[in-house]
Structure formats: C-alpha cells, structure tokens
Amino acid sequence: MKKEKASKNVNCDIRFDNNPNGIFKAGDKVTGSVVLTLTQLKKVRGVYLLVTGYADTFWSDKVPHGPKNKKTKANFKGHEDFIKHKLYFVGSDTGNPIDLVTGVQYHYFKFDIPANAPTSMEGKYGHVRYAIKVTLERPWKHDHNFQIPFTVLAKADLSADHPAFKTPIKVVDELRFYCWICRSSPLIVTGSVKRSAFVPGDSIDLTLDVNNLSKEDVSEIIIKFQKVMRFISQIQLIEQTQILAENQMTKYETVEIQKTMPVAKQSNITYEKNFLVGPLTPTENQNSKIIQIGYQFDILVKPKLSTKKIELTIPIIIGSAGLKTEEAVSFVRSSGIEKLSAGLNRDQPSAPPPPYVEDQESLYPNISSLQRAYENEVSSEDFDGRHGQ
C-alpha cells in the first residue's frame, strides 16, 4: 500500500464557489478552485483532482459453513460508486516528470453530482461519503495528498401534491384470550396517521383507538418511532475464501419512544400521540443498491396477565424540507469543515478508517468521525485496487 503524505513545503486550499460549508443537492453543478502554495521546488509527474462518491457496507457475523458444519466468522462487504471523476491540472498519468516552481498556483474544477446520488451518511455498518482529493503524484516517492469531504442531500423534496401527503394509513389487529368455549371477547387496537409523508419540522399525529372488550387489563402500550437501516453486501469472506453472494442485515434505531397509561378491561379509550420530526436523513430506498433507510412506528400492546401481545407497524416516509433540512445539516457540518481544513498539511496515514458508532442524537454524520475518516482515507490507487473487480 502506497503511503500518503502531506508536506510542510506545500499548502493546498480547496474551495467551493459560493458554498463554504460544502453542502450540495443531488443534481447540482459544483465549481471551485484549488490554491497550491509551494515554498520549495517540487518534481512531480502530475497534479490531479479526484472526486469520489461511494457507499460501503461492512459487518461480521457467524455462518454455519465451518468444519463439521460448525459456525465460523464471516466478513461481509459491499461497495457502490456514485461519482468517480479525475482531472489532471498539470502533467498526466503517463507523462515525464516536471518541476513545480515555488509560488502560488490557481486551478479550477467543475463536476456534476448525479441526480440520483444518495444522501451522505455515516454508520457502524455502512456509510455514504463524498470527497475531493488533490494529489501531487510522484511514483518514485510518496505522493502529497490533500482532501476535504462534502455533503450531498438526495432529492427527497415532497410537494403538497405528493400522493403520500394525502394518503392516510390505518392498521388494525385484535387479540382473544383463552380458547374454545372459554374464548374471550376481543381486544381491538387501531393505529392511524392522517398522511404517510413528513418533512423535518412536521409533527406526526398518531391516533391509537383501544377497544378492550376482553376481561384482561392492558398494562401499557409502547410506541417506537424507528429508523430502519438495511445494509446489503456483495462479498462474503471466510478466512481466505471469498464468495460472491448477496447478503443483508437490518438494524433498528429508536428515534423516539412514548408510552400510554394502562387500559382497563371492558373499556374503550383513544390516545393521541405527537412526534416532532427532527433533522432526519430522508427515506432512501431507490438511490443506493446497498444501503436503504426507512422509518416506521412499531406499536406493542402488552396485556397485564398474558404473554400474548399485539404488534402493529405503520410505515412513514421522511422527505427533505428545503431550507429547514439544509440549515440543520449546515449547523452540524460547518465546524467540521473548518477543523478539517485546518489540518490539511498534516501527514495522512494510510490505515483504513476507524470503526464507526452512529450518533444517537443526530442521524447526520458525526463531525469528529468524519474528520478522522477522511484524514485516514486510503489512497486512490489502493481504492482502485480494492474495488476494481
């Protein structure tokens, strides 16, 4: 693996035009500049800019494929590219060495973010990342690399005419206790929302109708507003054996939880619960093949003296809300960009990114983990080698 290295004799400032926080929408045209300042002559084969946007998934689990059908550990990996744009400012990948003289050099770039690019995200089992890297290419020596991340928001704008804004959802289930001639009257629970799509800043009004005709008390009803993350891999690795096979893993993260008071037997009661939608990552089930994000309400009805339960699920669509969403992301990301820019001249280790722990308070990328991730990102040559199959 080729070691990456910055230099005290080279300073690189990567700037986006009219967008200091580096927050873009899918489909945007991005323009910017690179300011290289050299205090010492440098011999290079070329100076290039590399724009990357990709998703990775990664997790470990035990599978029953070991000796004598015993369970053994397997690693699961997936990769998907959204952007891969390389532009040489100086030289080429096959040219002869040239000298970069001391002083300040200005270079300009532009590229399009695909209209179907998914939203940036960081998680324990997968991430969607976008970055710009400038490399002073020196095949006979360490390359000098400078990079910054940028954020992409998927097109998830929900207009007032969207069908989901007009589509109510109602789910019903019932439970009877005992059996045969002793079978009780039912416990009937209905959960409903007036529409199925929401954006940050909205209040989700959930109605629970509990018609308890039975002779069993209900101790409580638990309502979880859940983020549902599905990670898909294309490679399964057991020791040194690599298998091309699709696997998936689903994880749930509780955004908010509320509970009701007990419901007495042979009674009828209606609960109104309100959930405020914060700056959530939009629903993502079309733009990425290996990372999908959804939302739902999980409703658990627990009778007091029975092990039987009622479980209801109401799916919810979360879209983006224009300025509301952008301001939320801008607040989270701006300080991280400043910290990362301040550290551009430091050496760039070639180790892979550290493990990720998704921030329970915010579903957008955690600033410190983003900074560490991009400081430790592998070189573009290694990237090509790992994912070029």
Side-chain angles (χ1 to χ4, degrees):
M1 182 182 294
K2 197 171 186 177
K3 184 178 179 182
E4 294 188 346
K5 191 177 182 182
S7 171
K8 64 181 179 180
N9 299 313
V10 182
N11 182 67
C12 179
D13 188 10
I14 305 170
R15 304 170 183 173
F16 297 110
D17 292 341
N18 305 314
N19 195 331
N21 292 328
I23 300 173
F24 301 94
K25 291 182 179 179
D28 279 355
K29 294 183 180 296
V30 180
T31 60
S33 60
V34 174
V35 183
L36 278 175
T37 305
L38 282 73
T39 58
Q40 179 179 303
L41 184 143
K42 286 285 181 181
K43 187 179 292 292
V44 300
R45 184 169 68 182
V47 177
Y48 67 83
L49 174 138
L50 179 68
V51 184
T52 55
Y54 60 92
D56 279 331
T57 56
F58 38 81
W59 72 89
S60 298
D61 201 358
K62 289 188 175 182
V63 294
H65 303 320
K68 298 182 180 180
N69 291 325
K70 290 184 178 180
K71 288 188 175 182
T72 186
K73 182 180 178 181
N75 294 315
F76 299 90
K77 297 180 181 181
H79 179 82
E80 181 181 12
D81 285 315
F82 310 116
I83 308 173
K84 202 166 186 184
H85 172 71
K86 191 173 184 179
L87 170 66
Y88 270 88
F89 295 135
V90 176
S92 69
D93 58 354
T94 59
N96 295 321
I98 56 178
D99 291 331
L100 294 182
V101 299
T102 59
V104 180
Q105 301 178 18
Y106 295 89
H107 303 285
Y108 302 92
F109 62 85
K110 62 180 180 180
F111 62 91
D112 295 334
I113 298 175
N116 60 347
T119 296
S120 303
M121 63 88 68
E122 292 290 324
K124 185 176 181 180
Y125 305 104
H127 52 239
V128 176
R129 294 180 182 169
Y130 299 87
I132 289 180
K133 179 163 70 171
V134 174
T135 296
L136 277 63
E137 189 176 24
R138 305 186 301 171
W140 57 89
K141 209 171 182 180
H142 298 311
D143 288 346
H144 293 317
N145 295 280
F146 308 87
Q147 58 189 347
I148 63 169
F150 61 95
T151 297
V152 171
L153 301 178
K155 284 187 175 179
D157 296 329
L158 298 177
S159 67
D161 296 329
H162 195 285
F165 272 112
K166 304 175 182 179
T167 306
I169 298 180
K170 179 183 287 188
V171 293
V172 184
D173 199 2
E174 68 174 56
L175 181 62
R176 294 178 183 268
F177 304 95
Y178 317 118
C179 59
W180 300 105
I181 60 173
C182 298
R183 194 178 188 190
S184 71
S185 297
L187 164 64
I188 305 172
V189 180
T190 303
S192 62
V193 290
K194 294 180 180 179
R195 55 189 170 98
S196 58
F198 301 86
V199 296
D202 282 348
S203 175
I204 304 177
D205 302 321
L206 174 67
T207 301
L208 278 181
D209 292 311
V210 186
N211 188 9
N212 190 3
L213 303 176
S214 75
K215 295 183 180 180
E216 292 284 342
D217 293 333
V218 173
S219 60
E220 65 177 353
I221 301 175
I222 302 172
I223 308 153
K224 290 183 178 181
F225 182 21
Q226 299 266 69
K227 179 184 180 185
V228 184
M229 296 163 286
R230 182 169 290 107
F231 303 96
I232 299 169
S233 70
Q234 301 130 339
I235 295 174
Q236 177 180 310
L237 185 64
I238 302 176
E239 294 181 348
Q240 302 300 318
T241 303
Q242 180 172 293
I243 303 171
L244 293 177
E246 184 175 292
N247 291 275
Q248 62 177 284
M249 176 181 63
T250 302
K251 290 293 181 179
Y252 297 84
E253 179 182 289
T254 301
V255 179
E256 185 178 349
I257 185 168
Q258 295 190 30
K259 299 180 181 181
T260 70
M261 298 294 289
V263 181
K265 57 189 176 184
Q266 297 180 328
S267 66
N268 192 358
I269 190 169
T270 298
Y271 292 106
E272 298 285 348
K273 294 294 183 179
N274 309 108
F275 295 80
L276 181 64
V277 181
L280 300 178
T281 306
T283 297
E284 173 59 74
N285 54 19
Q286 295 180 337
N287 296 326
S288 175
K289 297 177 182 178
I290 65 172
I291 297 180
Q292 298 173 359
I293 298 173
Y295 295 89
Q296 65 188 40
F297 284 103
D298 290 335
I299 302 166
L300 178 63
V301 184
K302 301 171 66 175
K304 189 173 183 179
L305 298 177
S306 174
T307 57
K308 294 183 177 181
K309 297 178 177 62
I310 289 179
E311 297 181 17
L312 303 174
T313 298
I314 300 177
I316 295 294
I317 298 172
I318 300 296
S320 61
L323 289 176
K324 290 181 183 178
T325 304
E326 289 181 38
E327 289 170 0
V329 180
S330 178
F331 175 78
V332 175
R333 294 276 293 136
S334 59
S335 60
I337 293 292
E338 292 172 3
K339 291 178 183 177
L340 186 56
S341 297
L344 283 177
N345 287 328
R346 290 180 294 180
D347 285 354
Q348 307 264 331
S350 57
Y356 287 87
V357 177
E358 197 161 83
D359 187 352
Q360 299 294 325
E361 300 298 325
S362 170
L363 302 184
Y364 283 105
N366 177 271
I367 291 302
S368 59
S369 66
L370 264 179
Q371 182 178 348
R372 290 194 302 271
Y374 283 102
E375 285 176 350
N376 289 287
E377 191 62 85
V378 295
S379 67
S380 61
E381 292 85 0
D382 181 59
F383 178 93
D384 293 337
R386 286 185 297 134
H387 304 295
Q389 287 105 329

